[in-house]
């Protein structure tokens, strides 16, 4: 296995930004071309060292080891402005950018002081030779240069806070899910533990009594049936108590989704909320959201129609669009397989038709009716 790390001139996370700044290196290069002899050779060497420091600073921008490269870069800016051309002070924008990445006050103000010195010292020693009119153009650039580290530092601090907030939200979400799983486990244990233990004992007893005491065995079997019905009722109550999305909540979500996608939605709901168990509503809501997701992603539709109708013993969901339709081979994909598996949990049926668009029709029996019958038994 090849463990060699691929070479990168600049870390990919910074995008094209480091490459854009390289254009300004041409200015000191043009200055060195005007020079001659040893001064020219030293100048080009300093440009190369400056380029190396630029690359190293981006590569180790989150490490303390880049301190020395930053000192070298500031010194080169100082040398350029004193021994070559005072206008090369604009190169101070490079170290000013990296100073802003320091989060600690000590290092930040230490290097910021070096930057201020490297900018002001050349101006002081060559004050008499500076054209007063050039100061009108230079001063704004110097002010921006000296302010930029604070702006970059503030931006980086905000980005760090946003990352910490995202991590905190992820941790909170994880803890909430973990607590919910533990609560469900506790409820199942407390609710069903005793019942299942009792069923186990009774099943063993029935096995022993079948031949010698058939009447007593039948009586125990009848009690086991009643216990199992009670256990089934308890499980359904636990599932209903879990946080499940209702059909009306799902309608609000899919309406926003279709509106965002620019698809007109004609929605009809004729349903008594109290007659439909939360488990059934949750299954129908998930199927509805999956169907609308397919419309947005795959149909190229401009109009859609959603109808939820309640009959005496069933709830019917119809989702229709005027899109390009669905091929037969696609009926096994696009989340439809998951929809079919969900409906099997509640004995639901579904069908799909593709003619001038796609129509999905779902019929789910109302579980609440079944629960009422069990309570009577």
């Amino acid at each position: 296995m090849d463990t060699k790390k691929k070479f990168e001139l600049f870390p990919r996370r910074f995008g094209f930004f480091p490459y854009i700044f390289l254009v300004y290196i041409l200015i000191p290069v043009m200055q060195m071309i005007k020079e001659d002899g040893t001064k020219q050779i030293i100048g080009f060497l300093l440009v190369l060292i400056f380029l190396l420091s630029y690359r190293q600073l981006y590569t180790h921008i989150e490490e303390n080891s880049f301190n020395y490269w930053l000192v070298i870069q500031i010194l080169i800016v100082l040398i350029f402005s004193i021994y070559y051309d005072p206008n090369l002070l604009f190169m101070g924008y490079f170290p000013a950018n990296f100073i802003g990445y320091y989060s600690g006050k000590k290092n930040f103000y230490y290097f910021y002081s070096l930057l201020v010195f490297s900018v002001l010292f050349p101006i002081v020693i060559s004050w008499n030779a500076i054209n007063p009119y050039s100061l009108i153009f230079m001063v704004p650039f110097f002010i921006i240069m000296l302010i930029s580290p604070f702006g970059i530092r503030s931006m980086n601090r905000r980005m760090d806070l946003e990352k910490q907030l995202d991590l905190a939200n992820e941790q909170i979400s994880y803890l909430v899910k973990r607590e919910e799983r533990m609560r469900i486990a506790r409820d199942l244990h407390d609710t069903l533990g005793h019942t299942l233990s009792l069923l186990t004992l009774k099943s063993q007893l029935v096995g022993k009594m079948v031949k010698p005491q058939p009447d007593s065995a039948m009586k125990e079997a009848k009690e086991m049936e009643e216990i199992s019905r009670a256990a089934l009722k308890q499980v359904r109550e636990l599932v209903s108590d879990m946080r499940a999305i209702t059909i009306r909540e799902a309608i609000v979500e899919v309406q926003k989704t279709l509106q965002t996608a620019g698809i007109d939605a004609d929605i009809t709901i004729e349903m008594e909320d109290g007659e439909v168990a939360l488990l059934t509503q949750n299954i129908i809501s998930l199927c509805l959201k999956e169907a609308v997701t397919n419309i947005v992603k795959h149909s190229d539709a401009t109009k859609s129609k959603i109808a939820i109708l309640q009959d005496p013993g069933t709830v019917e969901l119809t989702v229709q669009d005027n899109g390009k339709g669905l091929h037969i081979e696609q009926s096994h994909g696009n989340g439809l397989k998951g929809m079919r598996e969900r409906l099997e949990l509640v004995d639901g049926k579904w069908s799909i038709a593709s003619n001038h668009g796609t129509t999905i029709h779902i019929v789910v029996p109302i579980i609440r009716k079944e629960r009422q019958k069990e309570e009577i038994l």
Side-chain angles (χ1 to χ4, degrees):
M1 184 177 179
D2 187 10
T3 57
K4 292 183 178 179
K5 189 176 180 181
K6 187 178 179 181
F7 174 80
E8 289 182 342
L9 184 58
F10 297 106
R12 190 175 299 177
R13 66 181 183 276
F14 293 107
F16 289 99
F17 185 77
Y19 298 94
I20 295 174
F21 257 65
L22 285 175
V23 175
Y24 295 103
I25 299 295
L26 294 175
I27 298 178
V29 169
M30 297 299 295
Q31 178 63 36
M32 299 311 149
I33 293 175
K34 299 177 183 179
E35 306 292 341
D36 53 18
T38 304
K39 190 175 181 180
Q40 184 185 59
I41 296 172
I42 295 174
F44 278 120
L45 181 61
L46 290 174
V47 171
L48 291 175
I49 296 174
F50 190 91
L51 282 171
L52 178 61
S53 68
Y54 182 67
R55 190 261 174 184
Q56 291 299 106
L57 286 168
Y58 266 116
T59 305
H60 304 288
I61 202 166
E62 296 177 356
E63 300 177 12
N64 292 327
S65 58
F66 79 101
N67 296 356
Y68 301 103
W69 290 108
L70 188 53
V71 172
I72 290 172
Q73 198 170 84
I74 293 174
L75 287 176
I76 292 175
V77 173
L78 188 62
I79 294 171
F80 278 163
S81 58
I82 294 176
Y83 295 101
Y84 289 90
D85 187 347
N87 291 319
L88 292 181
L89 278 173
F90 87 93
M91 297 291 286
Y93 277 103
F94 286 86
N97 171 61
F98 294 109
I99 290 172
Y101 282 93
Y102 278 104
S103 56
K105 290 185 177 181
K106 181 179 179 181
N107 284 331
F108 175 82
Y109 286 108
Y110 172 75
F111 286 105
Y112 184 76
S113 300
L114 288 179
L115 176 66
V116 173
F117 175 80
S118 67
V119 171
L120 296 180
F121 183 73
I123 295 176
V124 172
I125 63 175
S126 58
W127 181 260
N128 294 329
I130 295 177
N131 187 343
Y133 293 102
S134 65
L135 288 176
I136 299 175
F137 300 99
M138 293 176 66
V139 169
F141 286 102
F142 290 151
I143 293 174
I144 295 173
M145 182 191 302
L146 297 178
I147 292 176
S148 62
F150 293 94
I152 295 171
R153 186 167 182 249
S154 176
M155 179 189 68
N156 289 333
R157 184 180 297 174
R158 188 188 68 181
M159 292 173 63
D160 288 339
L161 289 174
E162 289 176 353
K163 288 180 181 179
Q164 293 176 15
L165 181 60
D166 290 339
L167 290 174
N169 287 333
E170 290 179 6
Q171 184 69 11
I172 291 171
S173 178
Y174 168 76
L175 292 174
V176 168
K177 291 178 181 178
R178 182 181 176 185
E179 178 61 28
E180 181 65 12
R181 286 195 296 267
M182 293 177 66
R183 184 189 68 80
I184 294 170
R186 288 194 302 268
D187 289 346
L188 287 173
H189 179 270
D190 296 340
T191 305
L192 297 179
H194 174 72
T195 303
L196 294 176
S197 298
L198 183 59
L199 282 173
T200 302
L201 292 174
K202 282 187 172 292
S203 65
Q204 293 173 352
L205 182 60
V206 168
K208 295 177 182 179
M209 297 174 60
V210 168
K211 291 183 178 180
Q213 303 178 43
D215 294 338
S216 298
M218 288 293 295
K219 182 179 179 181
E220 294 292 339
K222 185 65 176 177
E223 289 182 4
M224 287 178 63
E225 180 183 355
E226 293 175 355
I227 293 171
S228 65
R229 286 183 180 276
L232 179 60
K233 176 185 174 183
Q234 290 170 345
V235 170
R236 284 174 173 165
E237 287 175 349
L238 284 174
V239 173
S240 298
D241 288 339
M242 294 178 195
R243 179 64 181 103
I245 183 171
T246 65
I247 291 176
R248 296 192 184 276
E249 288 174 340
I251 285 292
V252 174
E253 292 185 21
V254 299
Q255 197 169 17
K256 290 180 180 179
T257 301
L258 292 169
Q259 183 179 4
T260 302
I263 301 174
D264 293 333
D266 180 12
I267 299 174
T268 303
I269 304 179
E270 295 179 8
M271 183 189 73
E272 294 291 336
D273 294 344
E275 293 293 322
V276 183
L278 286 177
L279 175 61
T280 301
Q281 293 201 45
N282 192 42
I283 295 294
I284 295 175
S285 298
L286 292 173
C287 293
L288 172 61
K289 292 168 72 174
E290 185 63 51
V292 170
T293 299
N294 285 336
I295 291 176
V296 173
K297 288 186 176 180
H298 307 291
S299 70
D300 294 333
T302 58
K303 295 182 180 180
S304 64
K305 186 176 180 180
I306 299 172
I308 300 174
L309 306 176
Q310 179 183 342
D311 289 333
T314 60
V315 177
E316 295 185 18
L317 167 66
T318 304
V319 182
Q320 186 177 7
D321 66 76
N322 67 341
K324 60 185 181 182
L326 187 70
H327 297 293
I328 296 176
E329 59 269 21
Q330 289 180 299
S331 62
H332 299 289
N334 299 332
L336 298 179
K337 181 179 179 182
M339 187 185 299
R340 182 166 56 249
E341 291 173 349
R342 293 190 190 101
L343 290 171
E344 288 175 355
L345 297 175
V346 289
D347 296 328
K349 306 296 181 182
W350 76 298
S351 62
I352 185 168
S354 184
N355 184 18
H356 302 293
T358 302
T359 301
I360 295 177
H361 185 240
I362 292 172
V363 180
V364 180
I366 297 178
I367 297 177
R368 188 175 181 82
K369 296 284 186 179
E370 185 178 320
R371 290 176 61 184
Q372 289 174 348
K373 290 179 182 178
E374 290 176 0
E375 290 173 2
I376 294 173
L377 294 174

